[in-house]
Amino acid sequence: MTRPAFFPDDGLGLNDFMRAGTLDVPEPDWIHVVTPLSKVAYPLDVEATRSAVMDNLTLVFDPELPVNIVELGLIYRVEVSPEGKVEIDMTLTAPNCPVAGSMPAIVERGATVVPGVTEAKVNLTWDPPWSIERASEDARLALGM
């Protein structure tokens, strides 16, 4: 009888399990920031910077669905400080999503490449849980729902 790969006494932890099932998510070409922020002056224009971060996040697609993470409703909050600090609350379509290990890092990178952003922090949350009702009407149409 063969034992499952992650048998409890194998000494493997949650991080080993998460890495084993992760999907490769290609990092977008961040050159295509839609919102122009050619001159950066502090304090930042918080709304323009937030808009640029959101523009970048529309370039990140769920690897299993043909819709970006913004339209899917996976981004719950984007807060920008006048000093250029960005904090993002996001979720995934399911807690066992195979991109749980890589997607937050890609989202963080999408925020930090926006001119004027000095640091970004991504909080992965499961509360409230994601459901298709969070997706935009366009996303639901693209998914046939």
Side-chain angles (χ1 to χ4, degrees):
M1 177 173 126
T2 359
R3 294 184 332 165
F6 297 101
F7 201 72
D9 65 357
D10 285 346
L12 298 175
L14 180 60
N15 287 337
D16 298 304
F17 175 75
M18 294 301 291
R19 270 194 296 280
T22 58
L23 292 177
D24 287 330
V25 180
E27 187 165 333
D29 179 0
W30 299 119
I31 293 172
H32 302 291
V33 176
V34 178
T35 307
L37 288 174
S38 56
K39 280 189 158 186
V40 177
Y42 295 94
L44 284 182
D45 179 336
V46 171
E47 283 308 309
T49 305
R50 183 184 184 286
S51 178
V53 168
M54 291 299 286
D55 287 344
N56 259 4
L57 298 184
T58 63
L59 300 174
V60 180
F61 282 75
D62 184 292
E64 298 176 315
L65 303 171
V67 181
N68 72 63
I69 64 174
V70 173
E71 292 295 320
L72 275 175
L74 299 179
I75 303 298
Y76 287 174
R77 179 180 70 94
V78 175
E79 195 171 299
V80 179
S81 76
E83 298 79 33
K85 295 179 181 180
V86 176
E87 188 166 355
I88 300 170
D89 291 345
M90 71 171 293
T91 194
L92 299 172
T93 54
N96 61 347
C97 183
V99 296
S102 57
M103 188 64 77
I106 291 173
V107 169
E108 182 179 306
R109 174 96 170 116
T112 57
V113 296
V114 170
V117 172
T118 56
E119 66 180 72
K121 178 183 178 191
V122 175
N123 304 308
L124 192 57
T125 183
W126 307 109
D127 186 35
W130 181 84
S131 69
I132 193 63
E133 287 78 31
R134 293 192 154 281
S136 70
E137 186 176 338
D138 289 341
R140 282 185 255 148
L141 284 172
L143 297 171
M145 298 180 178

